[in-house]
Amino acid sequence: MSAPTLDRPTDEAALQQQFDATIAADRRIEPRDWMPEGYRKTLVRQIAQHAHSEIIGMQPEGDWLLAAPSLRRKAILLAKVQDEAGHGMYLYSAAETLGADRADLTDKLIESKQKYSSIFNYPTLTYADVGVIGWLVDGAAICNQVPLCRSSYGPYARAMIRICKEESFHQRQGYELLMTMMSGTPAQRAMVQDAVDRWWWPSLMMFGPPDDDSPNSAQSMAWGIKRHSNDELRQRYVDMSVPQAQFLGVTLPDPDLHFDEETGHWRFGAIDWDEFKRVVSGNGPANAERIRRRRAARDDNAWVTEAATAYAAKHAGAAVGSAA
Amino acid sequence: MSTDVTAEGGHGAIPTGPEVPTTTSPSVARRDWPLYEVFVRGKRGLNHVHVGSLHAPDDEMAVHAARDVYTRRNEGVSIWVVRAADITASSPDEKDPMFAPSGDKVYRHPTFYEIPEDVPHM
Amino acid sequence: MPHEETVYDALDHAHGGEGHWAFGTGFDEPLAGVDTTVPDGVDPADLGAYCLMLGDDALVLAQRLTQWITAAPELEEEVAIGNTALDLLGQARLLLARAGSVGVLGRSRERATDSIPDEDALAYFRDADEFCNTGLVEAENGDFGQTVVRLLVASTVRLAVFARLRESRDPVLAAIAAKGVNELAYHRDHAARWVLRLGDGTAESHRRAQDGVDAVWPLLADVLTATDVERRLVAAGVAVDPADVREEVRDVLTTVLERATLRVPGWPADTPPRGRAGKHGPELTALLETLQGLARQHPAATW
Ligand SMILES: [Fe+2]
Ligand SMILES: [Fe+2]
């Protein structure tokens, strides 16, 4: 029902003006406010893909849940993976305030009509990957997401505040695991270095293409959906991560990495964007498996969802707890 | 490499293109469960506040899912759930022409372009 | 960007305490600071063996439930199953640590490095024949219907036992039970709600739920039969005789199944304890291979 030809009772210019003023004053747009169609569409797409990333992001680490090497690590990882399910739910909720529908968005994910973060198309080869994902991937997510706590769209910003709080635990547990492993056996230390070698560059790609190659970004910045450019955030992430790597005692796999006295920034080498494109467009090592599992969760359990709906219909109107 | 990918939000890079159809389906009966809004009283002496929403087949399952999702770290001492469709909302903005008079029931409206039946001048 | 610095600050302050982590994920040893003295007249070997029985049940069922993560129906259920598995994992950690604290470590200590805590030595370095979980929890999940039926049965039995165990003369067991009762009551309710909905949902869900019931019921055969260890500890006021909970379990399960329009199968004839005596099917061996593989590859490592 996208009938944009519907008669609008008042002039759109006035509404647009009001919307622009709200954005300019750094106030929040709320669900029932008038908003330009492009703003709504951009938000739905962004929030949905963010939600998909949380849900798909459960899988790489989830693959280690059954094999976690201590009960404490198992509990921490289970709590973390469960958090990501919660994040997905908060975000789908935010998208639903814009008229989207979670089942419909899930279908789009499964049919590969909407994307998710390319980082989750890499496999987790050792338990050190769990630590490195927490440290680098959740760390990069925090860099990306903390500014979104001020997103111009109220429900999205509120979801992000809650998510960011939990993400900081994720990063801490990952780093703590790596510290433990680095003070462990030589094999454990080698695992950590190997995982850092594999995840460092993909984590830099999490911030998206360079600014001069990211034309959509300008509109998103103007709308207050996005607060900083890709390159700005990427630089901030590198500046944060390098000292953490040094403290940990791992080498970041970039021969060009050096400190620039003049600017006070860590300068890094060129990113292989061709690989990024390959992985984003669905040719990552684990893409098919990630989608297959979501499809199975939907299809194999459809009978459960239907059963609960049928039960609710049968028992509708039966004694329900009185409101209080 | 062009509009192909951007890094908006995300548990990571969120590719947001090429343009995919994001038109949302109308609110016809779907296979999924209805949407519930969740309100939690964080501690005694405070009001219940809206914390988010979830899908559940019925009220009982909704209140339990709310406990699992929104208070799994013991943040809440009391939970309310209500079907989103049962919430009557006023428009936050008097000048909002799409939802003009009071009485529409679309706190989370399923589509942006469906006009509630009881808007008189439509 | 002053505003964002504030956001970062807020995150920092949110770090205080472990309160945001679910129970069982704490960074401390599970029994840190608890008086673990064995009560008078109680054989520590018996007490430890009993803790292993209850702990292994929780560990194995937690592992089974965890298999649903990323595969559950609806995200809400994903989270609910995660909570249940976390609760059980927390119970397992406490019980295995209690077994370790009274010196019951079996062959695990010969295999595990000293720096590995008791709970992990026991979880990761015992073979299947040293595990004393019942066959009820080690069976494969089956579909979602069978999974919730098994959870209903297992949590009904465990809740009935734990409710009585709150009076145990061992203060550690009593405390573990007191904490566990609330968790188990929730697990049982959750499972019961699902059994109702599946049994009385669609024709397909009814059929699947009934199949689940029929698959799970025979597993009750050795669950409510006491071992010699349990008998001695019952006499010492420490343990609960599983036979004592039989009526309660039967009543609860019958009520739920009848309300769910499901047929209640005949109660299986009592058999001598199998799982409690270390006799297990190939399902447990496979489960343990996954659980223990990595830890055993690096026997000298701590994590
Ligand atoms: Fe997340
Ligand atoms: Fe995370």
Side-chain angles (χ1 to χ4, degrees), chain A:
Chain A
M1 266 273 297
S2 63
T5 51
L6 210 89
D7 284 351
R8 295 269 169 94
T10 49
D11 70 306
E12 193 139 332
L15 293 166
Q16 177 78 50
Q17 215 168 37
Q18 202 176 11
F19 172 86
D20 291 343
T22 306
I23 298 282
D26 202 15
R27 283 164 52 219
R28 299 289 169 267
I29 303 294
E30 293 296 343
R32 297 167 47 74
D33 292 343
W34 182 91
M35 60 188 85
E37 186 56 14
Y39 177 86
R40 190 187 70 85
K41 272 192 170 169
T42 303
L43 269 172
V44 168
R45 189 178 62 197
Q46 173 173 329
I47 297 173
Q49 293 181 353
H50 188 167
H52 298 332
S53 299
E54 302 284 358
I55 298 305
I56 294 287
M58 296 167 68
Q59 291 186 33
E61 289 173 283
D63 287 346
W64 284 99
L65 275 173
L66 296 171
S70 78
L71 296 185
R72 179 176 155 254
R73 289 291 168 204
K74 188 191 286 285
I76 290 172
L77 186 58
L78 186 47
K80 194 213 165 190
V81 171
Q82 189 197 37
D83 275 353
E84 307 299 5
H87 296 176
M89 287 183 58
Y90 309 156
L91 288 162
Y92 285 127
S93 291
E96 291 191 294
T97 67
L98 291 158
D101 174 284
R102 187 170 95 190
D104 184 49
L105 297 176
T106 302
D107 290 347
K108 289 191 170 109
L109 167 69
I110 291 170
E111 289 151 19
S112 295
K113 288 181 184 159
Q114 285 181 344
K115 293 175 182 173
Y116 56 86
S117 178
S118 58
I119 193 99
F120 300 118
N121 284 336
Y122 293 94
T124 43
L125 302 182
T126 74
Y127 206 74
D129 290 40
V130 170
V132 170
I133 287 177
W135 172 39
L136 295 179
V137 177
D138 287 287
I142 291 170
C143 280
N144 262 336
Q145 290 173 358
V146 165
L148 294 176
C149 297
R150 293 196 302 132
S151 165
S152 62
Y153 187 58
Y156 191 30
R158 290 191 286 275
M160 290 317 307
I161 289 171
R162 193 179 169 106
I163 289 172
C164 281
K165 277 190 184 159
E166 295 181 348
E167 293 297 354
S168 70
F169 287 96
H170 297 177
Q171 194 189 24
R172 260 182 7 136
Q173 64 82 32
Y175 197 73
E176 193 242 13
L177 168 61
L178 296 178
M179 287 201 300
T180 307
M181 290 183 73
M182 286 304 284
S183 58
T185 64
Q188 285 179 298
R189 281 196 293 278
M191 267 189 242
V192 174
Q193 183 61 57
D194 166 66
V196 170
D197 290 347
R198 284 181 288 109
W199 289 95
W200 172 248
W201 288 107
S203 78
L204 291 187
M205 297 176 197
M206 286 174 65
F207 296 90
D211 294 347
D212 52 15
D213 202 3
S214 183
N216 278 346
S217 291
Q219 179 62 74
S220 284
M221 302 256 284
W223 274 333
I225 294 175
K226 192 176 153 120
R227 293 290 183 176
H228 304 284
S229 79
N230 298 352
D231 285 336
E232 250 181 298
L233 290 170
R234 183 166 20 242
Q235 185 62 59
R236 190 185 294 185
Y237 168 73
V238 172
D239 289 341
M240 274 169 45
S241 301
V242 173
Q244 290 168 351
Q246 289 169 337
F247 183 85
L248 202 54
V250 295
T251 309
L252 296 173
D254 178 359
D256 296 329
L257 188 68
H258 67 277
F259 190 70
D260 181 355
E261 296 285 352
E262 210 166 296
T263 59
H265 290 302
W266 285 90
R267 296 300 178 199
F268 47 94
I271 295 173
D272 179 1
W273 289 111
D274 287 340
E275 177 188 327
F276 184 47
K277 272 171 80 172
R278 265 196 313 280
V279 175
V280 166
S281 45
N283 297 320
N287 182 271
E289 167 60 17
R290 302 285 182 247
I291 293 296
R292 185 201 64 74
R293 223 186 292 178
R294 280 332 296 164
R295 183 189 300 276
R298 180 191 67 180
D299 295 351
D300 297 354
N301 298 312
W303 67 275
V304 175
T305 307
E306 283 159 18
T309 303
Y311 178 91
K314 278 187 212 178
H315 295 264
V320 286
S322 59

Side-chain angles (χ1 to χ4, degrees), chain B residues 16-27:
Chain B
T16 57
E19 191 70 37
V20 286
T22 50
T23 320
T24 48
S25 319
S27 66

Side-chain angles (χ1 to χ4, degrees), chain C residues 74-97:
Chain C
E74 306 295 336
L75 296 175
E76 285 79 4
E77 192 57 24
E78 194 91 57
V79 174
I81 290 176
N83 276 341
T84 305
L86 272 170
D87 286 344
L88 289 170
L89 199 51
Q91 292 178 15
R93 293 186 63 193
L94 290 165
L95 287 159
L96 297 187

